[in-house]
Amino acid sequence: MVAKKSTRKFQAEVSRLLHLVVNSLYSNKEIFLRELISNSSDAIDKLKLVALTDDSVIEANEEAPRIRVSTDREAGTITIEDGGVGMTRDELATNLGTVAHSGTLKFLEEAKGDAQLIGQFGVGFYSAFLVADRVDVVSRAGGSDEAWKWSSDAQETYTLEAAERATRGTTITLHLQDDQTEYLDAWKLRSLITRYSDYVSHPIELLEPKYGDDGETTEEWGQVNEASALWQKSADDVTDEQYNEFYKHLTHDYTEPLTRTHFKIEGTQLFTGLLFVPGKAPHDLFWRNQPYGVRLFVNRVFIMDDAEELVPSWLRFMKGVIDSDDLPLNVSRELLQESSITRTIRKQVTKKTLDALKKLAGSEDQEAYNTFWSNYGSVFKEGLHEDRTMSGKIAPLLRYRSSSVDGLTSLTEYVERMVEGQEAIYYVLGESESAVAASPHLEALKGKGYEVLYMTDAIDEWAVQGLGEFDEKKLVSAAQADLGLDETDEAKAEREEATTELKPLIERFSEVLDDQVQEVRLSSRLTDSPCCLVVPEGGQHAHLERLLKAHDPTAPTTKRILEINATHPLIRNLNLLQESGTGADAVEAWIETLFDQTLLAEGSPVVDPGRLARRMTTLLQDASAAALSQQA
Ligand code: ADP
């Protein structure tokens, strides 16, 4: 029986799909090559799978199957050839004439022509029509000795006829549209293959011109990709140098990464990850809307850059590759967002990254960890809120400056240094190290020999709330109203006595500062400073409040507690002045000045700087007059 050429109508869905693809992706035409190479790569994968149980599909002594891309300038064609599993006549008709996955069409229609969306979605074979006005597919299935040719111009129909093909596999010939001849250039194809298909695990060869010394041009096959996905190798088989080269290739970063994690997860889901911490932070790290995330591969086929669904935002500095065996090749960002596979991957990415950081932190190379910390610490700390389940792993990785050591300290080291009787971990919040180091809030703590962590990063107050405690020890702000310090009976009695003695002065303070503070009381924490402001239970610290107000001037203000130091000479003198009955105005001016000065000392703005300056001038004038009269 001689098979004649037959003409068939496409299934209605195919016509719609073709129409959608061509109309939505006209500005992303180049993806056709990725799609066809990925199909070829799949066909080789399938062949290998079939060959496991049926060796008739493979010829004896056959070379490893490859993918070959070539062009014919005169004919205006690109040919993509593979030694994969091939297709029978029926398979050609079914695979290329009907839509197998009804979900594909539904998704594409819902994406309503959004090229971005559709572009990230594998559109498969029909993308050939983005650049071609006619496509011929000649295929010979493994184990069969006949070949068939499928051909279509993407209108209503396709044809099927008997053809010749010497060996098993598929040859796809694209008759390029008149304005798509740029794809005839070998360099163009090489760059597309490198960009999109470098990690395809089968060799991709390109027929490229070679310019001889004699002026003759010949053509030669050259392998374009490495043909092995580095991340699929066992870590034992990859050198540091190879990892770093891969990192540089991936990120276009020329500096070495700080550390990496390479893992294979084989549970209910199968995926591989190779992730790096870059040596340098990108300038836009703090810009939340910047794209981040890792490259997603599905079965070694590149799917998308910046798959942010796979990485929590507080690890947005991580770079690398995730290769899933379970996600569909046509996965879109929308599908990724909803997929439970994504959640599993993200969880493992988080765990493995934290493990790698732990290892770096515990390594000899403290400089590397410190670089990590100064580059990414602020972002990393967001994790204390974003993923509470991980805070046990995050906390030991935190680093702070402190009152007791040069350089950075971990909480673990802090706890080791805690002195007898100390029950909490103390910290002080503020703008800069020099400001917090001099903070009056520290006086009592220093007096007891307690170390205080300096938290000067904008995110610290929020982050530390997410942490709460470490090693069963509460984190307590030095500016908190109740420091939970033990006060000796003697000290307590002294303070109570002083409170009675200074009662009128304290009342005067309360009257004058009624609008600004919640309460005025004697302090048990001050030794050197006349006063300080502390935060009532549940209140906001000044530092965070300033930040919030910078964004929203109407943000609520926490009224704080003013603590005064009963033993300070200034307070003593003020009390005498108050008791003398004369100079009530003077006392009021002193109180206001003291309050403003307390604000300035902690880096907060004063309400009326002009008024403060005038009061200061008067006070200085009086003081200078007093100094002069003393001399006289
Ligand atoms: P998808 O790859 O998403 O299934 P395509 O439209 O790209 O959709 O391809 C449809 C089918 O055609 C594939 O599933 C595969 O069975 C078959 N096919 C495509 N290209 C090849 C090829 N080079 N070799 C063998 N089979 C192929």
Side-chain angles (χ1 to χ4, degrees), residues 433-448:
E433 192 174 332
S434 57
V436 294
S439 163
H441 296 123
L442 269 52
E443 291 171 7
L445 297 168
K446 278 185 184 161
K448 283 184 166 284

Side-chain angles (χ1 to χ4, degrees), residues 39-40 43 46 82 87 95-96 101 124-125 170:
N39 277 351
S40 287
K46 271 185 222 162
D82 66 66
M87 286 176 274
N95 293 343
L96 307 183
H101 320 286
F125 171 76
T170 302

Side-chain angles (χ1 to χ4, degrees), residues 40-88:
S40 287
S41 169
D42 284 351
I44 297 175
D45 284 339
K46 271 185 222 162
L47 174 80
K48 292 189 166 174
L49 190 68
V50 174
L52 290 177
T53 51
D54 175 7
D55 55 14
S56 74
V57 294
I58 296 200
E59 310 283 321
N61 307 324
E62 193 185 308
E63 262 187 69
R66 55 201 57 227
I67 301 161
R68 288 187 143 182
V69 180
S70 59
T71 57
D72 181 333
R73 194 162 273 283
E74 263 156 50
T77 56
I78 303 183
T79 299
I80 295 121
E81 230 183 305
D82 66 66
V85 67
M87 286 176 274
T88 62

Side-chain angles (χ1 to χ4, degrees), residues 59 91 145 172 176 217 244 265 305 362-363 367 419 428 433 458 519 530 618 621 631:
E59 310 283 321
E91 282 167 344
D145 49 14
I172 298 181
L176 293 176
T217 308
N244 291 354
I265 305 296
D305 278 319
S363 76
E367 207 182 308
V419 297
V428 56
E433 192 174 332
E519 189 193 335
T618 314
Q621 200 177 316
Q631 273 190 349

Side-chain angles (χ1 to χ4, degrees), residues 137-400:
V137 181
V138 174
S139 197
R140 182 170 149 188
S144 159
D145 49 14
E146 43 181 55
W148 289 89
K149 178 175 170 183
W150 177 103
S151 179
S152 176
D153 57 5
Q155 301 300 317
E156 307 281 285
T157 59
Y158 61 92
T159 61
L160 274 176
E161 65 189 300
E164 291 296 319
R165 200 180 190 284
T167 53
R168 178 207 65 240
T170 302
T171 306
I172 298 181
T173 304
L174 311 183
H175 299 266
L176 293 176
Q177 294 159 16
D178 290 342
D179 56 353
Q180 299 304 322
T181 48
E182 60 173 313
Y183 295 109
L184 293 173
D185 285 318
W187 65 264
K188 171 88 185 173
L189 296 177
R190 178 175 266 274
S191 79
L192 288 180
I193 296 169
T194 309
R195 166 130 191 252
Y196 289 118
S197 311
D198 203 29
Y199 309 114
V200 166
S201 45
H202 309 294
I204 304 169
E205 293 177 350
L206 179 66
L207 192 61
E208 292 174 298
K210 279 270 158 349
Y211 306 99
D213 297 338
D214 50 6
E216 285 285 305
T217 308
T218 50
E219 287 187 313
E220 245 174 52
W221 289 106
Q223 186 168 325
V224 182
N225 64 336
E226 223 218 285
S228 70
L230 186 85
W231 59 88
Q232 294 293 347
K233 294 183 181 173
S234 147
D236 297 338
D237 299 337
V238 187
T239 63
D240 284 347
E241 200 183 345
Q242 283 171 325
Y243 275 123
N244 291 354
E245 277 311 311
F246 173 74
Y247 164 79
K248 290 176 192 173
H249 167 82
L250 192 75
T251 57
H252 303 283
D253 180 3
Y254 52 88
T255 53
E256 310 274 295
L258 287 175
T259 188
R260 61 167 184 266
T261 171
H262 184 186
F263 54 89
K264 194 178 196 98
I265 305 296
E266 288 166 313
T268 42
Q269 270 153 41
L270 200 67
F271 61 92
T272 308
L274 175 52
L275 307 175
F276 298 88
V277 180
K280 279 190 323 185
H283 63 90
D284 47 19
L285 182 65
F286 295 95
W287 201 10
R288 275 242 176 191
N289 295 333
Q290 272 314 98
Y292 66 88
V294 296
R295 272 197 200 184
L296 173 64
F297 284 74
V298 172
N299 285 310
R300 265 64 75 210
V301 179
F302 171 67
I303 304 297
M304 67 176 82
D305 278 319
D306 312 318
E308 58 182 62
E309 292 76 8
L310 304 181
V311 180
S313 68
W314 54 281
L315 295 178
R316 59 185 176 273
F317 47 84
M318 295 301 286
K319 297 279 171 209
V321 169
I322 294 291
D323 188 345
S324 161
D325 283 29
D326 304 301
L327 284 166
L329 246 188
N330 57 7
V331 68
S332 68
R333 284 194 191 265
E334 272 58 29
L335 293 180
L336 262 191
Q337 272 159 20
E338 282 153 25
S339 166
S340 65
I341 298 178
T342 306
R343 282 192 291 278
T344 308
I345 294 177
R346 190 169 48 217
K347 201 161 168 202
Q348 290 295 342
V349 163
T350 307
K351 267 198 184 147
K352 297 291 177 184
T353 302
L354 290 174
D355 287 348
L357 290 172
K358 183 178 171 189
K359 205 166 150 208
L360 186 68
S363 76
E364 298 279 282
D365 195 356
Q366 280 307 296
E367 207 182 308
Y369 192 75
N370 290 345
T371 305
F372 159 76
W373 190 253
S374 67
N375 282 352
Y376 312 110
S378 300
V379 168
F380 183 76
K381 281 183 264 190
E382 293 171 13
L384 289 170
H385 272 271
E386 310 250 318
D387 192 347
R388 302 229 175 192
T389 62
M390 290 291 164
S391 60
K393 281 180 164 245
I394 296 174
L397 295 169
L398 301 170
R399 294 291 180 273
Y400 299 99

Side-chain angles (χ1 to χ4, degrees), residues 424-429 439-445 452 461 464-465 468 474-485 518-519 521-526 532-542 558-563 602:
I425 298 171
Y426 294 97
Y427 62 89
V428 56
L429 293 158
S439 163
H441 296 123
L442 269 52
E443 291 171 7
L445 297 168
V452 183
E461 176 164 7
V464 83
Q465 283 166 6
K474 277 186 93 167
L475 275 100
V476 174
S477 160
Q480 199 165 298
D482 181 11
L483 276 182
L485 295 180
Q518 188 188 86
E519 189 193 335
R521 68 183 190 196
L522 284 192
S523 179
S524 59
R525 82 182 73 208
L526 294 173
C532 70
L533 280 159
V534 300
V535 183
E537 190 78 32
Q540 214 113 256
H541 282 71
T558 301
K559 272 196 182 177
R560 290 184 287 155
I561 299 168
L562 184 74
E563 287 195 353
E602 64 172 30

